[in-house]
Structures are given as structure tokens and as C-alpha cells.
Amino acid sequence: PLTKRLKFLVAIRPGLMSPTLAARMAATFDRLSEGRLLINVVTGGDPVELAGDGLHVSHDERYEITDEFLTVWRKALAGETVDFQGEHIDVRGGKLLIPGLQKPYPPLYFGGSSPAAQQVAAKHVDMYLTWGEPPAQVAEKITAVRELAAAEGRTLRFGIRLHVIVRETDEDAWRDADALISRVDEATIARAQAVFARMDSHGQSRMATLHAGSREQLEISPNLWAGVGLVRGGAGTALVGDADTVAERMHEYEAAGIDTFILSGYPHLEEAYRFAELVFPKLNLASQPDRAATYSSAFGPFGMTGGEIVANTTVPGLEMRRAAAAG
């Protein structure tokens, strides 16, 4: 409630939750945040973790579930009554009584490097995400997903997930990068890599290939450092350098088709301040005006204006609402 422009990227997990329940949750959060919700679709890439959550299907079956899930989720948030029977999901008469604010639904963010994942992205999502691979590899991936989306009659935006280590000088940045993993021993790296090896995530496999579990050659592309990925799953690369250098590398990704950067650092708060102070002035950033939520005559931000829903299913008509307000 203290923020006006900050947006919230919240994960949903196909296979672990109902698509219509997830749609109701999204609509509620979208209204509470006055239309600032973003959705991150997480299919999952670790069979051991997923088995612990009760999901026992193959890699490609998970993306089949994601496809069916998003088919239902999108229709429900768009205001349709959903009857859907697939291989994995069976929904009958699913609908939202109270809609979200963003139309037709909050933007969908999604990442996945496998052919199955990219097909889901092309069919359903708004923002396709990649982890921080070298710019040439990112460009290849963007080209492939664009072609798949075009075949579906759709266009996508593209984002990248990276860490950053930005300092006043390149020397300071590289010193702090080395210091970040200076206390990580070889046994710890081996244990982490063994866990990553059990995963069937194509993206995780591509991350591991960048450093091959060794700290011998961690600058895998100019100013792109894979040290984080020795022990961290998922996003395992960082842009390292002074402000001019980091901004230049970001512009290279922008030229490849990236328009959104999801960044983090260690420690998070300190790196956020450094990045804002040093790099923001080097980027083409346009301030966005505050978004004023627009409510229908029937609904306020928290539900129906002037009355309760009848029998949990019926929204009173305008005359009933006027009478309730007058009485």
C-alpha cells in the first residue's frame, strides 16, 4: 500500500496448483495492487524437487501441463466460462466472478530453453525470459522463439535474468567478483554441480556448460562472468565492470532483442544502489507515469461496490446496487 509504481512478479506453478484457483488468486492480487501484478510461470526443472511436491511426470509432460494450464488460466481471466478437458487438466464451468484490473490478464513471464518450453512460450506468454548466456546465444534463442510465435500469429517481448557487479572501475569490479567466491572450496562446487546434473532443465544444462564446473575460465564472454553458477542454480552469470562497460554490454543484449532486464547482486541492497547511481544515467530510461486503476461501475478495488454477491454466484444488477446504496 505504500508503493505506487513498483510491480510484483509472482510465480505460479502449473502441475502444483489448479489453473482456476491460480486465476482467482491473480485477480485478487491484481486488484489489491491496482493493476501492478506480473505473473512468472514456473514449470520446474528438478525432478527430485517436483517429486517431493507430488508431481511425477517427464520433462515434456510438464510442458504439456503448462500448455493446458495456461489455456484455462488465460480464458478464465479474460472473463470466459471455461470447459476444458485435456490429457492432464479437466475443468468444467470454471470462471472468475470478480475480474482482475489488467485486460485481458496480467502479463505472463516465462523462461525455458527446450523445444517444448519454447513452443509453450510462443503460444501463450507475453515476455520470454532467458538466463544470461553470451549475446550471440541469446540472439539465436530470440530468433527461434520469434519464428515459433509468428507461426502462432503472435509477437513476444524478450527479457534476460542476470546478476551485476558494477564498481567505479573495472579493476574494482573484477576484484569483488573474485572475492564473492573466494571462500567457496572445490568440494562445495562439486556438491552443487552434482545437484544441478540431476536436473532435466535445458536452461540449467546450458548454464553449466558455460563454466564446466571449473573456475579456470569464468569470463565466458566479454565482462560476462559465470562464477555465480558454480554454486547457484538458475541464473548463474553476472555482468562485471565499471558503469560504461556494463551499460555497453546491456546495449549489446538490447541489440539482440532484449528489452527487459531482471537484475540482482550480492548483497542485493548495496548492489541495487550502486547500479542505480552508476549505470542508470548511462541507459535510455523513460520515466513511467503513475498508473491510476480504472474500476467498472460494479466493482471497487476490493470487490463489489454497495452490496454482497448473491448466493456466491450472482452479481446484483445496477438497480439493486442503487437501492442498496440508497438504503
Side-chain angles (χ1 to χ4, degrees), residues 186 189-190 193 207-216 218 229-230:
E186 297 305 315
I189 293 173
Q193 294 302 309
M207 283 281 100
T209 299
L210 296 176
H211 53 68
S214 170
R215 56 172 101 217
E216 291 301 315
L218 292 176
L230 291 174

Side-chain angles (χ1 to χ4, degrees), residues 24-68:
R24 290 197 294 274
M25 293 166 71
T28 298
F29 199 0
D30 199 37
R31 300 188 75 82
L32 289 171
S33 65
E34 298 186 342
R36 290 181 284 146
L37 176 65
L38 308 171
I39 294 292
N40 186 31
V41 182
V42 180
T43 298
D46 184 349
V48 175
E49 177 190 90
L50 290 165
D53 288 330
L55 189 62
H56 310 280
V57 295
S58 69
H59 174 279
D60 284 5
E61 285 177 309
R62 291 201 302 274
Y63 286 99
E64 291 173 5
I65 293 171
T66 302
D67 179 16
E68 295 183 6

Side-chain angles (χ1 to χ4, degrees), residues 124-206:
H124 292 288
V125 309
D126 304 289
M127 174 76 71
Y128 176 81
L129 299 174
T130 179
W131 287 328
E133 299 175 9
Q137 294 182 26
V138 170
E140 291 177 1
K141 190 181 290 187
I142 287 174
T143 297
V145 175
R146 270 199 181 125
E147 291 175 354
L148 291 171
E152 297 284 343
R154 305 182 67 245
T155 59
L156 279 66
R157 294 172 56 207
F158 296 91
I160 192 166
R161 175 73 175 90
L162 285 160
H163 307 285
V164 288
I165 303 174
V166 61
R167 300 292 182 269
E168 296 281 354
T169 68
D170 279 340
E171 292 76 14
D172 288 344
W174 283 111
R175 184 194 64 237
D176 284 359
D178 291 337
L180 188 62
I181 59 170
S182 62
R183 298 182 183 274
V184 177
D185 58 30
E186 297 305 315
T188 301
I189 293 173
R191 286 197 301 272
Q193 294 302 309
V195 172
F196 303 153
R198 80 188 186 196
M199 299 179 182
D200 59 8
S201 163
H202 288 219
Q204 183 62 58
S205 177
R206 290 167 71 104

Side-chain angles (χ1 to χ4, degrees), residues 25-322:
M25 293 166 71
T28 298
F29 199 0
D30 199 37
R31 300 188 75 82
L32 289 171
S33 65
E34 298 186 342
R36 290 181 284 146
L37 176 65
L38 308 171
I39 294 292
N40 186 31
V41 182
V42 180
T43 298
D46 184 349
V48 175
E49 177 190 90
L50 290 165
D53 288 330
L55 189 62
H56 310 280
V57 295
S58 69
H59 174 279
D60 284 5
E61 285 177 309
R62 291 201 302 274
Y63 286 99
E64 291 173 5
I65 293 171
T66 302
D67 179 16
E68 295 183 6
F69 180 102
L70 292 176
T71 298
V72 173
W73 188 92
R74 291 171 65 201
K75 287 177 179 292
L77 276 160
E80 299 181 31
T81 298
V82 185
D83 291 295
F84 180 89
Q85 186 169 7
E87 290 294 320
H88 307 277
I89 293 174
D90 187 351
V91 170
R92 305 172 193 184
K95 63 180 180 180
L96 289 182
L97 191 59
I98 300 177
L101 292 184
Q102 299 181 83
K103 303 301 180 188
Y105 43 75
L108 290 168
Y109 285 52
F110 172 87
S113 296
S114 68
Q118 292 181 354
Q119 189 60 59
V120 169
K123 186 175 179 181
H124 292 288
V125 309
D126 304 289
M127 174 76 71
Y128 176 81
L129 299 174
T130 179
W131 287 328
E133 299 175 9
Q137 294 182 26
V138 170
E140 291 177 1
K141 190 181 290 187
I142 287 174
T143 297
V145 175
R146 270 199 181 125
E147 291 175 354
L148 291 171
E152 297 284 343
R154 305 182 67 245
T155 59
L156 279 66
R157 294 172 56 207
F158 296 91
I160 192 166
R161 175 73 175 90
L162 285 160
H163 307 285
V164 288
I165 303 174
V166 61
R167 300 292 182 269
E168 296 281 354
T169 68
D170 279 340
E171 292 76 14
D172 288 344
W174 283 111
R175 184 194 64 237
D176 284 359
D178 291 337
L180 188 62
I181 59 170
S182 62
R183 298 182 183 274
V184 177
D185 58 30
E186 297 305 315
T188 301
I189 293 173
R191 286 197 301 272
Q193 294 302 309
V195 172
F196 303 153
R198 80 188 186 196
M199 299 179 182
D200 59 8
S201 163
H202 288 219
Q204 183 62 58
S205 177
R206 290 167 71 104
M207 283 281 100
T209 299
L210 296 176
H211 53 68
S214 170
R215 56 172 101 217
E216 291 301 315
Q217 181 56 46
L218 292 176
E219 189 178 5
I220 55 172
S221 179
N223 303 99
L224 185 64
W225 182 69
V228 178
L230 291 174
V231 290
R232 184 197 191 280
T237 55
L239 292 178
V240 180
D242 64 20
D244 286 323
T245 300
V246 169
E248 181 181 350
R249 298 295 172 246
M250 292 179 69
H251 289 313
E252 290 175 0
Y253 283 114
E254 185 181 13
I258 296 294
D259 66 33
T260 296
F261 292 81
I262 301 177
L263 306 174
S264 60
Y266 302 97
H268 295 295
L269 182 60
E270 288 84 346
E271 197 66 53
Y273 272 111
R274 288 193 195 99
F275 190 88
E277 292 167 356
L278 297 175
V279 183
F280 272 13
K282 312 288 184 181
L283 303 177
N284 299 321
L285 300 177
S287 61
Q288 298 180 0
D290 292 343
R291 293 184 55 186
T294 301
Y295 306 120
S296 71
S297 60
F299 293 97
F302 308 111
M304 209 193 76
T305 300
E308 293 291 339
I309 295 169
V310 176
N312 294 331
T313 60
T314 304
V315 177
L318 182 59
E319 292 305 319
M320 184 183 294
R321 291 198 303 276
R322 285 174 176 166

